[in-house]
Amino acid sequence: QVQLQESGPGLVKPSQTLSLTCTVSGGSISRGAFYWTWIRQLPGKGLEWIGYIYNSGNSYYNPSLKSRITMSLDTSKNQFSLRLNSVTAADTAVYYCARDYGSGLGSFDYWGQGTLVTVSS
Amino acid sequence: DIQMAQSPSSLSASAGDRVTITCRASQNIGTFLNWYQQKPGKAPKLLIYTTSSLQSGVPSRFSGSGSGTDFTLTISGLQLEDFATYFCQQSYRPPYIFGQGTKLDIK
């Protein structure tokens, strides 16, 4: 059974960098055709797809956030990470990591429990 | 971006009812439409992918249909555990956009 778990600071100051890591268990992130994905949910609102990284290291980011995002893989630790620069209060959200099943389906079959990140001084 | 309009935004029903939630895409997405269920404080759970394929472990009272721009999620014979928020999501082309959600509560 695949499990994902987000970790990182729950509080980030405005203009600083939000950094989160997702640890995957029950399967190797370097195997298969999966896209390792970040999604966020703004308070009381809907879901926003942030982007994904593939096991080759290729990535695709939401154009609305692209200038501020970096995603990376650490296959030795079976982890993938998100960095979001120059954060503002508008980036306060629950951040989820998820597995995109791939094969062109674009559906998210496994999710982490989510981690709340608050941007505040 | 392909936008998704979901309706209604909220819905009240009783256990045993049959309910339908709709999702409309701003352009043709074929059958690249997925449905999720989310309960408070929890991550979304994949229910249906590519319009009508039931994710493993999801009860058969959930069904999906549609193609092109118009899609529906139907729950036949509501159970108490089905009261939650439902989201559609297009997977035709990134950025993958979710609908705004339908909150289903008990009448």
Side-chain angles (χ1 to χ4, degrees):
Chain A
Q1 175 80 345
V2 175
Q3 293 183 310
L4 293 85
Q5 177 69 58
E6 304 89 352
S7 59
L11 180 64
V12 182
K13 289 182 166 50
S15 80
Q16 294 191 345
T17 297
L18 178 161
S19 295
L20 296 174
T21 296
C22 183
T23 301
V24 180
S25 58
S28 171
I29 63 170
S30 58
R31 293 183 182 174
F34 307 118
Y35 295 81
W36 302 100
T37 298
W38 291 96
I39 293 164
R40 68 182 183 179
Q41 187 163 30
L42 305 177
K45 295 189 178 181
L47 297 154
E48 181 178 33
W49 180 82
I50 298 171
Y52 65 63
I53 186 164
Y54 191 56
N55 60 16
S56 64
N58 291 340
S59 56
Y60 191 108
Y61 304 148
N62 191 321
S64 68
L65 299 167
K66 184 178 181 180
S67 64
R68 298 195 289 135
I69 297 174
T70 305
M71 293 186 187
S72 60
L73 286 173
D74 185 339
T75 55
S76 67
K77 295 181 180 179
N78 221 37
Q79 295 175 335
F80 62 104
S81 299
L82 168 71
R83 287 173 57 88
L84 179 65
N85 301 327
S86 305
V87 297
T88 70
D91 295 309
T92 294
V94 175
Y95 285 77
Y96 295 100
C97 58
R99 188 181 83 168
D100 175 343
Y101 187 78
S103 301
L105 293 181
S107 58
F108 310 111
D109 58 349
Y110 289 98
W111 296 65
Q113 64 185 23
T115 187
L116 174 63
V117 179
T118 301
V119 179
S120 175
S121 56
Chain B
D1 296 358
I2 299 171
Q3 298 304 313
M4 306 302 295
Q6 192 173 334
S7 63
S9 56
S10 64
L11 178 59
S12 294
S14 302
D17 285 354
R18 180 174 183 266
V19 298
T20 298
I21 298 168
T22 65
C23 195
R24 174 165 288 176
S26 60
Q27 64 184 78
N28 189 333
I29 59 170
T31 58
F32 288 92
L33 191 284
N34 310 305
W35 291 98
Y36 300 83
Q37 176 194 68
Q38 186 178 34
K39 296 184 177 179
K42 300 293 187 181
K45 171 187 173 184
L46 178 63
L47 296 176
I48 289 174
Y49 60 96
T50 55
T51 298
S52 59
S53 296
L54 208 60
Q55 176 68 355
S56 176
V58 174
S60 59
R61 62 181 179 271
F62 292 91
S63 63
S65 63
S67 68
T69 60
D70 294 314
F71 303 86
T72 60
L73 171 69
T74 299
I75 312 171
S76 300
L78 273 172
Q79 303 292 307
L80 285 178
E81 61 265 30
D82 300 336
F83 291 96
T85 299
Y86 293 85
F87 294 94
C88 62
Q89 173 239 332
Q90 68 84 9
S91 55
Y92 179 78
R93 181 172 66 229
Y96 298 134
I97 303 294
F98 291 83
Q100 286 305 298
T102 295
K103 185 175 182 181
L104 174 59
D105 61 21
I106 301 174
K107 186 184 291 183

